[in-house]
Amino acid sequence: MAQPRPASGSASGSAPAGPHGVVCGVCGTESRQQAFRPAPPEQAPDLDLRPGQPIRGTMARWLQQCPHCGYSAPDITQAHPAAAQAVGAANFRALLNDASHPPLARRFLAWALVLEETGALHAAAEATLHAAWIADDLNRADLASAWRLEAVALWRSGPPLDAEQRVRVVDALRRAEAWADAAETAHSLLRENPPEAVAQVIALELRLIEAQDTSRHSVATALPPPARRPHVAHQKSVKRGEGLRGWLKRLFGR
């Protein structure tokens, strides 16, 4: 997933680490970047797995960005061989110069373009969803909806989706007001007799779809407490075949 990597050091994680010099893996430019040290959130995540506070408010530190070429990544010293091609492309340069998009959202979208170029479509979907979260915070519903639909397209263009991702697709479609697609995707998952935890979340999503509710809702709304989840950077992604129930149990200690 296109998430910040945990760093050793501060136990609280609430204060950013001091800036340090790093060399861009694409263009070789040296710059000072903040290291990010996440701490476990104290609140339950949203249904799309946006983490609760205090991690929720730290998105400005999740990615580094080279001030020269614009390459964005959790660690810009590391670059896939295809990253230079992505950064030099016209659509990448156009994105960096698009003043209609919030600057922080552009950083996540730039990372998404690099990931897409390398073939990491699910990770690109994650980064695009993160841009939607930035739009949510700025009350830019138009951009949030557009980027959620882009994230769904990327998820669906990649390898077969696991339970976690399919639930998140439903949530993204609902919040983008793609009611018919959201309902069909939810019912399709239910027809497969998913684990109880998955069914509970999907049942909530279907109620929200019926009410045409586009607002964010917490995992705690769908599942009994405690619904606490460490930041995804601290955890391995859901294992193939594990299902959302096992994933929730492992992350929330349920």
Side-chain angles (χ1 to χ4, degrees):
M1 293 186 179
Q3 290 276 7
R5 301 180 305 172
S8 59
S10 169
S12 68
S14 57
H20 61 289
V22 302
V23 176
C24 176
V26 171
C27 70
T29 298
E30 184 173 359
S31 63
R32 296 182 68 79
Q33 301 286 338
Q34 294 278 0
F36 179 53
R37 295 174 177 171
E42 298 178 0
Q43 298 177 359
D46 294 348
L47 292 175
D48 64 2
L49 301 188
R50 181 175 181 180
Q53 294 290 11
I55 297 301
R56 186 183 195 87
T58 64
M59 291 187 70
R61 304 204 302 274
W62 289 11
L63 295 178
Q64 299 174 354
Q65 186 166 33
C66 176
H68 178 68
C69 69
Y71 174 53
S72 298
D75 178 1
I76 61 172
T77 67
Q78 304 296 318
H80 186 282
Q85 180 178 344
V87 168
N91 60 337
F92 188 95
R93 311 316 303 174
L95 169 64
L96 293 184
N97 295 320
D98 190 346
S100 68
H101 293 351
L104 182 56
R106 274 181 270 166
R107 193 184 309 169
F108 282 98
L109 293 172
W111 176 225
L113 284 177
V114 170
L115 290 166
E116 187 175 0
E117 181 66 27
T118 66
L121 298 181
H122 287 184
E126 290 283 347
T128 304
L129 180 63
H130 296 172
W133 295 347
I134 298 299
D136 289 338
D137 293 344
L138 297 174
N139 296 316
R140 291 294 307 272
D142 55 334
L143 294 178
S145 293
W147 292 336
R148 281 188 165 90
L149 293 177
E150 288 182 21
V152 169
L154 287 164
W155 265 318
R156 288 173 167 173
S157 297
L161 298 172
D162 57 33
E164 172 197 344
Q165 292 163 320
R166 292 175 69 185
V167 170
R168 299 174 80 196
V169 164
V170 172
D171 192 73
L173 290 169
R174 172 184 67 81
R175 297 195 63 186
E177 300 186 39
W179 307 116
D181 195 354
E184 174 53 34
T185 304
H187 283 299
S188 176
L189 183 52
L190 284 181
R191 286 194 292 269
E192 298 176 12
N193 296 315
E196 180 182 357
V198 174
Q200 286 179 298
V201 174
I202 289 298
L204 172 60
E205 290 282 7
L206 285 170
R207 292 195 297 271
L208 297 173
I209 292 166
E210 179 66 23
Q212 296 196 348
D213 183 339
T214 63
S215 59
R216 73 178 184 92
H217 290 269
S218 165
V219 167
T221 307
L223 299 174
R228 295 182 60 190
R229 172 182 182 271
H231 188 259
V232 70
H234 289 216
Q235 301 290 338
K236 296 179 180 178
S237 60
V238 64
K239 298 176 182 177
R240 179 69 62 184
E242 176 185 34
L244 188 58
R245 184 176 185 178
W247 178 78
L248 289 170
K249 182 177 181 181
R250 177 161 53 84
L251 293 182
F252 298 172
R254 297 188 63 226

